[in-house]
Amino acid sequence: MAILIGRRRALTAYLATISLRNTSAFSGYSSSTLRAIASAQRPLTPPAVFHQRTNPSTLAMSASTTSSDADAKVDIASNIASVRQRLEDAISSNDRPAGSVKLVAVSKTKPLELLQAAYESGQRYFGENYAQELMAKSKEMPDDVSWHFIGPLQSNKAAALVKTVGLDKLACIETVSTLKLAAKLNRAVDTLNEDAEEKKKLGIYIQVNTSGEESKSGLSPDGEVADLVKQISEECPGLSIDGLMTIGAPGDYSCFDTLVKCRDEVAPLLGREPDELELSMGMSGDFEIAVAKGATSVRVGSTIFGQRDYSNLK
């Protein structure tokens, strides 16, 4: 008992010290949670754990629960209008049909208030990077929102994501690059379709590493993409391969050309014309160039929602 009391006192003193030096270190925890930690009848976690939590989805959720001062100053309606105008200008200047490029608003780590403001400005396509964050937000946003998952997806979280969000709202998983993940998604779709009158498919994009960087996920455009497309087509009837996605290297716009070429090679394998497959490429800094190169979907985050602040998560 004396040891437990000593530990509680040590933690209390530590929390008081931290609150004076860096109150943001505990911003992800509620006061009730901190009280529970202080009164826990078990060995306490070393204080360093409070500074460095390593689960990305946990970090994202703590960042997206409340609005920061910076978030409160973001004029979402104005930003959306500006991006749409730039997008329309890029489409027009490249002699492409009006409405031929989809705008996906990337809202990772951003609070619901900002997503709701974007929705009120007419935005319906949203992109999230973390499975847990998407599942939570999908329950709070209107049902006519189309969600795109654009981050790395662990196969053990695939079923929960599909079943929680549902096939009506989960428009696309953009980051499929293994048969293992595709099979997990396919099984989840099968489960949802078991008692459904209308059988539905889940849209996916194949992620391509067009830059060849080891830090980037995705398949090599030289053969690997075609092989996976064949396997998924044969083994995963619950999935619809709707396009290709790439991140590319900053400033290297040949990555966009590589994705276009890859689509030309993949389309015949699916019995489709190249322009029937989506090209998800281009972000805040280069989406206009991506449109000029043939993008049909662009992922824009900071230009709409403002820069992301991860300082309170460190």
Side-chain angles (χ1 to χ4, degrees), residues 113 115-124 126:
E113 290 87 346
L115 278 72
Q116 290 163 348
Y119 180 89
E120 291 168 3
S121 297
Q123 183 63 29
R124 294 295 182 270
F126 289 86

Side-chain angles (χ1 to χ4, degrees), residues 22 127 135 151-152 155 171 180 184 189 201 275 282 289 297 299 301:
N22 182 13
M135 288 187 282
S155 58
K180 179 181 179 181
K184 290 276 190 177
V189 171
K201 291 189 176 187
D275 60 7
I289 296 173
S297 180
R299 310 179 302 273

Side-chain angles (χ1 to χ4, degrees), residues 58-305:
T58 302
L59 299 181
M61 284 307 299
S62 65
S64 62
T65 53
T66 57
S67 299
S68 67
D69 291 340
D71 288 333
K73 297 176 182 178
V74 177
D75 187 342
I76 297 295
S78 177
N79 290 350
I80 286 271
S82 175
V83 170
R84 284 181 181 153
Q85 186 59 60
R86 290 170 58 188
L87 185 58
E88 290 173 6
D89 290 345
I91 291 170
S92 175
S93 63
N94 287 282
D95 297 321
R96 298 184 57 185
S100 59
V101 183
K102 181 187 308 166
L103 172 61
V104 176
V106 179
S107 48
K108 67 176 181 179
T109 78
K110 291 300 181 178
L112 279 169
E113 290 87 346
L114 296 192
L115 278 72
Q116 290 163 348
Y119 180 89
E120 291 168 3
S121 297
Q123 183 63 29
R124 294 295 182 270
Y125 296 100
F126 289 86
E128 291 288 342
N129 287 60
Y130 306 116
Q132 187 173 349
E133 187 174 4
L134 196 163
M135 288 187 282
K137 287 178 175 177
S138 69
K139 296 176 182 178
E140 303 297 331
M141 292 292 287
D143 288 341
D144 62 338
V145 166
S146 292
W147 296 97
H148 283 233
F149 187 81
I150 61 174
L153 179 59
Q154 296 175 346
S155 58
N156 61 358
K157 295 182 179 179
L161 177 62
V162 174
K163 294 174 184 177
T164 300
V165 182
L167 298 177
D168 289 330
K169 295 190 288 185
L170 186 57
C172 185
I173 305 294
E174 295 201 13
T175 49
V176 176
S177 59
T178 67
L179 183 60
K180 179 181 179 181
L181 175 57
K184 290 276 190 177
L185 293 170
N186 186 71
R187 282 196 288 272
V189 171
D190 285 346
T191 300
L192 288 180
N193 279 331
E194 282 179 357
D195 300 321
E197 294 183 4
E198 180 184 354
K199 308 300 182 184
K200 297 181 179 180
K201 291 189 176 187
L202 172 65
I204 65 169
Y205 295 166
I206 305 300
Q207 184 172 2
V208 185
N209 184 349
T210 54
S211 65
E213 297 171 281
E214 293 184 1
S215 60
K216 298 286 175 65
S217 299
L219 299 172
S220 166
D222 300 324
E224 290 185 353
V225 176
D227 290 342
L228 183 61
V229 165
K230 292 176 184 176
Q231 289 178 309
I232 293 176
S233 298
E234 295 171 356
E235 302 179 29
C236 302
L239 305 183
S240 174
I241 301 175
D242 294 337
L244 306 177
M245 175 269 209
T246 194
I247 296 175
D252 183 1
Y253 305 127
S254 68
C255 292
F256 299 152
D257 297 321
T258 299
L259 197 67
V260 173
K261 181 180 178 181
C262 190
R263 180 182 66 172
D264 292 342
E265 296 171 351
V266 164
L269 301 177
L270 296 171
R272 304 172 70 177
E273 294 296 323
D275 60 7
E276 294 179 322
L277 294 178
E278 302 277 0
L279 288 177
S280 175
M281 59 189 195
M283 297 183 284
S284 285
D286 57 13
F287 71 86
E288 288 150 312
I289 296 173
V291 170
K293 296 284 189 177
T296 63
S297 180
V298 295
R299 310 179 302 273
V300 180
S302 59
T303 305
I304 294 174
F305 295 106

